[in-house]
Amino acid sequence: MAARHYGVCVGQAVGCVWVTLWGRPTDRPPAWLRGASLAVLVLQNASLVLSIRYVRTRPGQRFRPSTAVVMAELLKGSAGFLLLVLQHRGSVRQALGTLQGALWGHAGDTLRLAVPSLIYTLQNNLQYVAISNLPAATFQVTYQLKILTTAVFSVLLLGTPLSRTQWLSLALLSMGVALVQAEQGDSGGDTGTPLSPLEGPPQSYAVGLAAVAASCLSSGFAGVYFERLLKSRGGSIWLRNVQLGAVGTVLALAAMAATDGAAVAADGFFYGYTGAVWAVVLNQAAGGLLVAVVVRYADNILKGFATALSILASTAASVHLFGFRPRGPFLAGTAMVLAAVYLYGRPQYHQWHQQQQSQSQQQQQHDTSTSGLLPPRTKAPDGINRPPPGPIQAL
């Protein structure tokens, strides 16, 4: 059975992976597979934010986010190396040779990858700060500004053209986020009731808002820079993923030493780690690879629905878990953001659909043109049609 290869690369939050699927190639996946992709995307997007919010606001010993970032980078790099081994048909020696040649033989590419790795490390730490100080629903809505920053950097660095509908959706997105923040400001920056108000850690809405804004800015730039690097330098996405993980682990360790070095030396690296914290680390590390696989089956419309459902799920869960109380302006702003996400993906979906139709028509034309090149069959004395003798039979 023939194999079909698909390349998928998305932002750091979801990782980069190259997927090999065995089976009959299809232009459009079945409905059940699209539904499963939607469920996985919603579960991953909502559970990561809610779980971080839970472990960062519960009373008791609190783990240090810098150590969690180190572990996530280490696990992502290890997963990337495993994929690289699979690419080399299970040969660890060949995979190590390829990795060594990429790290030391092409030191310039490694240094270029240090730029997005540094920004991703900063972004991951900022996300912990933002979710620790903002309600999960507010963070989910505000974090959609990464669409705006990614679009702006795509235009500036890659020259990507945007349609009028996409520009209008970006304006609608900005107004929706502004309305949500205005509502939160009028309510005094209500971050929701922690699980134990008397023992819960202090929270600052202003700090959380600044952290999520910086995270959106860094996410947009790093994602576009990494895309430009892949397009200009080439190379296996698996290999790039391992390089990102290796460089990211070193930078995350340096950031941990600079910010929490003394505390980690005194209390230990895994201070405050519980089963819930490990679930967060594994979700952040493996979630990228998981989503990258299912994104193959999800068009932009489906990803827009996944974003909308994850925001709604985070809002509903925050009401029950953290005492969050959404008001009219918050709901109106959220609706504007959801509409903007949907509209932004529509031109890309139609472009993808037209490309699929064009490829299908070209394939049909190719089949029609080549069918006329075969010589006509001749009827043998026994009445059976057989191809004429000549080079074709020799093949």
Side-chain angles (χ1 to χ4, degrees):
M1 186 175 293
R4 189 175 187 178
H5 303 271
Y6 302 100
V8 178
C9 182
V10 287
Q12 174 71 4
V14 293
C16 296
V17 67
W18 184 265
V19 186
T20 302
L21 300 176
W22 294 89
R24 177 183 297 178
T26 56
D27 292 333
R28 187 175 181 84
W32 69 267
L33 198 52
R34 290 165 55 85
S37 301
L38 176 63
V40 171
L41 284 171
V42 173
L43 180 63
Q44 199 276 335
N45 289 338
S47 63
L48 180 60
V49 176
L50 290 171
S51 58
I52 292 178
R53 177 69 178 173
Y54 169 74
V55 297
R56 292 296 294 166
T57 57
R58 65 184 178 88
Q61 295 181 347
R62 301 177 67 196
F63 73 101
R64 293 175 175 83
S66 59
T67 62
V69 173
V70 172
M71 289 304 303
E73 292 295 330
L74 183 61
L75 290 175
K76 281 188 287 189
S78 301
F81 180 74
L82 177 61
L83 293 174
L84 189 63
V85 172
L86 294 177
Q87 185 185 27
H88 288 82
R89 299 181 179 181
S91 175
V92 178
R93 178 178 298 180
Q94 292 182 6
L96 287 174
T98 301
L99 181 59
Q100 181 180 2
L103 290 176
W104 307 112
H106 299 84
D109 289 346
T110 303
L111 292 177
R112 293 184 185 93
L113 283 173
V115 176
S117 296
L118 177 61
I119 299 177
Y120 285 144
T121 302
L122 173 64
Q123 174 193 344
N124 291 333
N125 283 279
L126 287 173
Q127 285 184 354
Y128 277 100
V129 175
I131 299 175
S132 301
N133 291 276
L134 294 177
T138 302
F139 172 82
Q140 282 276 50
V141 174
T142 309
Y143 193 58
Q144 301 311 310
L145 282 176
K146 65 182 179 180
I147 299 177
L148 174 62
T149 59
T150 302
V152 171
F153 284 119
S154 295
V155 173
L156 296 178
L157 299 181
L158 300 178
T160 304
L162 297 180
S163 66
R164 183 178 303 177
T165 301
Q166 289 178 314
W167 284 115
L168 291 176
S169 67
L170 293 176
L172 183 63
L173 173 69
S174 302
M175 291 187 293
V177 172
L179 185 58
V180 169
Q181 300 307 323
E183 189 271 341
Q184 292 291 315
D186 293 339
S187 61
D190 182 17
T191 56
T193 303
L195 297 180
S196 178
L198 296 178
E199 301 179 10
Q203 301 174 28
S204 171
Y205 187 84
V207 172
L209 183 60
V212 72
S215 182
C216 290
L217 188 65
S218 61
S219 174
F221 176 78
V224 173
Y225 180 89
F226 185 67
E227 180 182 355
R228 181 180 180 180
L229 187 63
L230 283 178
K231 290 181 177 179
S232 61
R233 309 299 298 182
S236 169
I237 296 181
W238 282 351
L239 183 59
R240 297 302 187 194
N241 205 35
V242 179
Q243 288 177 292
L244 273 177
V247 178
T249 300
V250 174
L251 294 175
L253 283 171
M256 181 197 70
T259 57
D260 301 318
V264 171
D267 300 330
F269 186 90
F270 296 106
Y271 174 81
Y273 273 61
T274 62
V277 176
W278 279 112
V280 169
V281 173
L282 292 176
N283 192 357
Q284 193 171 27
L289 299 176
L290 178 64
V291 174
V293 172
V294 300
V295 158
R296 164 63 187 91
Y297 303 102
D299 52 45
N300 285 280
I301 299 297
L302 191 62
K303 287 185 285 184
F305 276 118
T307 300
L309 291 177
S310 64
I311 292 176
L312 296 177
S314 299
T315 303
S318 297
V319 172
H320 296 284
L321 295 177
F322 310 115
F324 177 70
R325 298 178 180 86
R327 303 178 183 178
F330 177 88
L331 297 177
T334 300
M336 295 171 66
V337 170
L338 298 182
V341 172
Y342 172 78
L343 291 175
Y344 188 82
R346 280 184 61 86
Q348 302 176 30
Y349 171 75
H350 289 304
Q351 183 180 4
W352 172 83
H353 186 65
Q354 292 175 358
Q355 291 177 353
Q356 294 293 328
Q357 288 182 338
S358 176
Q359 293 176 1
S360 178
Q361 292 176 358
Q362 292 176 0
Q363 183 65 32
Q364 291 177 358
Q365 293 175 358
H366 175 74
D367 295 340
T368 303
S369 62
T370 55
S371 62
L373 299 178
L374 296 176
R377 291 176 177 267
T378 58
K379 180 176 290 188
D382 57 3
I384 301 177
N385 289 330
R386 290 189 175 91
I392 296 181
Q393 286 189 350
L395 295 176

